[in-house]
Structure formats: structure tokens, C-alpha cells
Amino acid sequence: MPRPLVVIIDISALQHNLAEARRRLPAATTWAVVKANAYGHGLERGMRAFGAADGLALIEPEAAVALRELGWQKPILLLEGCFDLSDFRLAAQHKFEVTIHCPQQIGWLEKTRFDVPVNVHLKMNSGMNRLGFMPQDFSAAYRRLRANAQVGSIALMTHFANADAADNPGLPLAEQVRRFELGSAGLDAPWNISNSAATLMHADMRSHQVRPGIMLYGGTPGAHKTSPAGAFGLRSAMTLQSELIGIQQIHPGDAVGYGSRFIADAPMTIGVVACGYADGYPRHAPTGTPVLVDGVRTRLVGNISMDMMTVDLTAIPTAHHGSCVTLWGDGLPIDEVAEAAGTIGYELMCAIAPRVRVTER
Ligand SMILES: *Cc1c(COP(=O)(O)O)cnc(C)c1O
């Protein structure tokens, strides 16, 4: 039999979470973000689940082509746009909408022949200092695109660093909005500015197009304690589940696992779970990270191995060889596990390794 470790994707949860995004901004065009293999949930599965979205948005041109080959006929938006001239030929051929964030991309666009005008999303660097035109260069870039007969619609785009913690002193959300408004003053075009955090926490923002990602998968963009997914009405779409494949009774002073990082100070029952860092579980998750055994909450103890991890069964006398272990998902929000492990739910979802079986329900 295959290893008992499995990822279970709940299609109805994906559909429900998309409906939650749409409910918050009913008038907005909704781009369901499916980059990184739909945040680890599977591109084709994401496509199927998000059929009610106005379009799909992603980073990887080859995955965008795959979406067309899988039959997605609605719009597709490349969030980083084209990486070279040849990508523009792909965009023309497959009718992708493209982000334009730098002068090079405008140059490539001007060298490409489109049978139908290409819709573009002109991106401003409103303070995050990754991609985009500076506010003072924005309207010139807009005019250069507008002057091109091959350009169809133009949306004005930016990306927020701190929509989940709007008062971040490094770059308050209001400051990003202010720069965006300033740089796009007088430009008559829709705004494409809201990620999940802005969709969930700032639904009053003037966003004609929204780009929710993490919320569709049942994760939250910020710290789970202040903003748990459940409180937003989101359902977790990914459950990582395995079984106990061994049980050890240990005595005070006995050590567990590599590095003997955990040493028992009382008699304990230790369960061995078929899941390790080669499956995508974070190796740096410390003793105390929560897991469920047959639905009962307990904790990880000792170092994560490549293929296994060890958990405390002392308070779960009914646990047995084959007991169900939930690493995250049903009954255990991924954000809680992420926080215990010093990371974010996004990273856990995306890190699921190819060797892990995936099923649906
Ligand atoms: C990934 C991404 C999003 C989605 O962000 P979430 O925080 O997952 O909602 C939106 N816009 C851009 C440009 C992105 O790259």
C-alpha cells in the first residue's frame, strides 16, 4: 500500500471561499489567484473550483498555457507580465492579459503583433519597492500604452505590503493608497488593487478588480490570532493527514529523534507519524507545534525527520497504530501550525512535496 500520508482538497471549500470574496465586493471583477500550482492545491483543481471567477491570475506563463489547454476560456492575467519578448507572442496567441510593470515590457509589447488588442494592467510601485513604475512616472507610462492601438483596456494596479496590518509604521496602508491616488490622478481607468487582506479587511476600498489568493484556500493573510480564517467565514481547503505507524513507551531521561533534542521528564507514550520534511512539513517546527491524533489535540516532540515525526500520545490512551493524524486542515487551522513553526500558511501550502498523494472530496 502507499504511505498513509495524503493531502485532501475540499473542492466545496474552495468554491465557498471564492463566494466569500465575491460577497465582499459584489461589483468587482474577481481574479482568482492560482499561481504556484494554486498555492499547492493543483492547477487543474483550482481551475475547476474557481469556475465562478471572472478570470484566473498567475505568475507562470507555461501554467497559463496549460490552463488554456485544460479548457479555461475566460480571462487569464499574468501577474508579473511577460519575462521576455517571446512571452508576448504567447500572450497574443492565448489572449492573456498582462501586467506591465517596467519600460522593458512596454518595449516588447510594442514589438508584438496582436490579432485582438491586449488588455493590460499597469502596475505602480506605491511603496513596496518590488515591481512597478514610480508614481511620478505612472501617467507617462499610461499615455504611452494608451497611444498604442494594440492595447485594449488598461487597469491600474498596485500591490499592498500591509493590508493585513494597516498601521505598519514601515509603510502604512493609507500611505500606499495615497501614493496610488496621487500617481493615477486624472487617469480614467479601473483600479486593480485588492489582495486577500484588502478584500477581507478593507472591502470599502475603491477596487474595481480584486486578486484574492490565500483566502480562497482558507488561509489568512495576517497573524491568525487577530484574524482567524474561521472568523472571516473561510473554510480550510487543504487537509494534510497521515497515520501513526509506530508507538514507543519511554521513560524519564529517554531522548527522542535526531539530535536528542527532546528528553522525557516523565514516562511518556510517543507516536511516530508518517510525515516529514521531505513531504513539505517544516523541519523547523518546534516541540509543542499542534497536531491532532484521532481528532484530539496534542503536540509534536523532538526534531522532524525526513520521513517521520514524533508526537506526544501520553494523554491519548486510545491512540493506536493506524490512528488518524491531522497535520493541518480539518479541525486545525493551517495558520495556527504556521505560526507555531515561525512561518505563514502560504509557505506550508506551497511546500507540499510531489511525493505526497493528493485526493479530493
Ligand atoms: C499572489 C498575489 C496576490 C494574491 O495575494 P494573497 O495575499 O494570497 O491574496 C495578489 N496580487 C499579486 C500581484 C500577487 O502576486
Side-chain angles (χ1 to χ4, degrees):
M1 80 176 253
R3 281 171 88 218
L5 179 64
V6 64
V7 161
I8 305 161
I9 304 293
D10 184 341
I11 299 285
S12 72
L14 294 169
Q15 292 167 331
H16 166 86
N17 295 337
L18 174 64
E20 281 297 307
R22 301 198 65 124
R23 191 173 64 73
R24 286 180 159 77
L25 285 107
T29 295
T30 304
W31 295 97
V33 179
V34 295
K35 62 187 176 188
N37 196 31
Y39 290 49
H41 293 64
L43 185 69
E44 188 273 337
R45 216 169 273 118
M47 182 188 93
R48 241 188 304 131
F50 302 141
D54 297 296
L56 299 177
L58 73 178
I59 300 282
E60 309 87 350
E62 64 283 9
V65 172
L67 286 173
R68 285 289 184 241
E69 286 165 354
L70 287 165
W72 182 262
Q73 294 180 348
K74 289 203 259 183
I76 294 175
L77 166 58
L78 293 176
L79 290 166
E80 288 179 353
C82 294
F83 298 102
D84 67 4
L85 179 60
S86 77
D87 283 346
F88 269 101
R89 281 183 225 117
L90 274 189
Q93 183 187 345
H94 296 286
K95 301 187 174 50
F96 298 150
E97 304 200 8
V98 294
T99 298
I100 298 282
H101 65 75
C102 62
Q104 288 79 3
Q105 290 179 326
I106 302 186
W108 294 327
L109 186 155
E110 288 169 349
K111 288 200 185 76
T112 309
R113 286 283 316 248
F114 296 87
D115 294 332
V116 274
V118 58
N119 294 336
V120 304
H121 298 250
L122 180 62
K123 185 164 187 177
M124 187 194 296
N125 171 10
S126 57
M128 203 174 172
N129 290 314
R130 298 192 316 186
L131 302 180
F133 292 86
M134 294 306 287
Q136 62 269 25
D137 301 327
F138 200 61
S139 69
Y142 178 88
R143 284 194 303 275
R144 184 169 163 195
L145 289 167
R146 196 63 296 166
N148 186 331
Q150 298 208 95
V151 171
S153 67
I154 306 178
L156 310 180
M157 185 178 188
T158 198
H159 194 58
F160 296 130
N162 301 306
D164 57 317
D167 55 356
N168 185 309
L171 182 63
L173 177 64
E175 174 59 14
Q176 277 201 273
V177 173
R178 192 188 68 80
R179 293 184 198 181
F180 185 73
E181 281 174 343
L182 210 65
S184 56
L187 305 183
D188 180 23
W191 290 9
N192 178 354
I193 59 176
S194 292
N195 55 7
S196 292
T199 302
L200 289 171
M201 302 174 201
H202 306 278
D204 53 338
M205 202 176 267
R206 186 180 155 218
S207 199
H208 307 100
Q209 304 189 16
V210 296
R211 312 184 301 268
I214 193 72
M215 70 172 289
L216 303 181
Y217 304 98
T220 58
H224 86 274
K225 281 185 182 130
T226 49
S227 55
F232 287 118
L234 303 175
R235 283 168 47 193
S236 81
M238 176 191 284
T239 295
L240 181 61
Q241 187 179 292
S242 190
E243 290 179 5
L244 293 180
I245 59 168
I247 294 180
Q248 305 291 343
Q249 304 295 339
I250 65 171
H251 305 287
D254 286 349
V256 178
Y258 284 116
S260 301
R261 212 174 60 164
F262 180 82
I263 296 179
D265 56 9
M268 287 181 76
T269 308
I270 298 294
V272 182
V273 183
C275 179
Y277 62 78
D279 301 301
Y281 196 93
R283 204 192 75 89
H284 50 268
T287 289
T289 301
V291 299
L292 304 181
V293 175
D294 286 335
V296 181
R297 202 183 163 94
T298 181
R299 59 179 180 142
L300 217 142
V301 294
N303 272 339
I304 307 290
S305 308
M306 183 181 282
D307 313 301
M308 285 176 263
M309 65 176 75
T310 38
V311 300
D312 184 357
L313 299 180
T314 312
I316 315 177
T318 54
H320 55 89
H321 193 114
S323 276
C324 177
V325 180
T326 304
L327 287 322
W328 62 67
D330 274 347
L332 181 60
I334 192 167
D335 293 313
E336 209 178 320
V337 177
E339 188 158 292
T343 182
I344 53 178
Y346 298 75
E347 189 182 22
L348 298 186
M349 291 175 186
C350 294
I352 293 290
R355 77 170 179 178
V356 181
R357 279 185 300 136
V358 184
T359 64
E360 280 176 22
R361 66 152 176 251

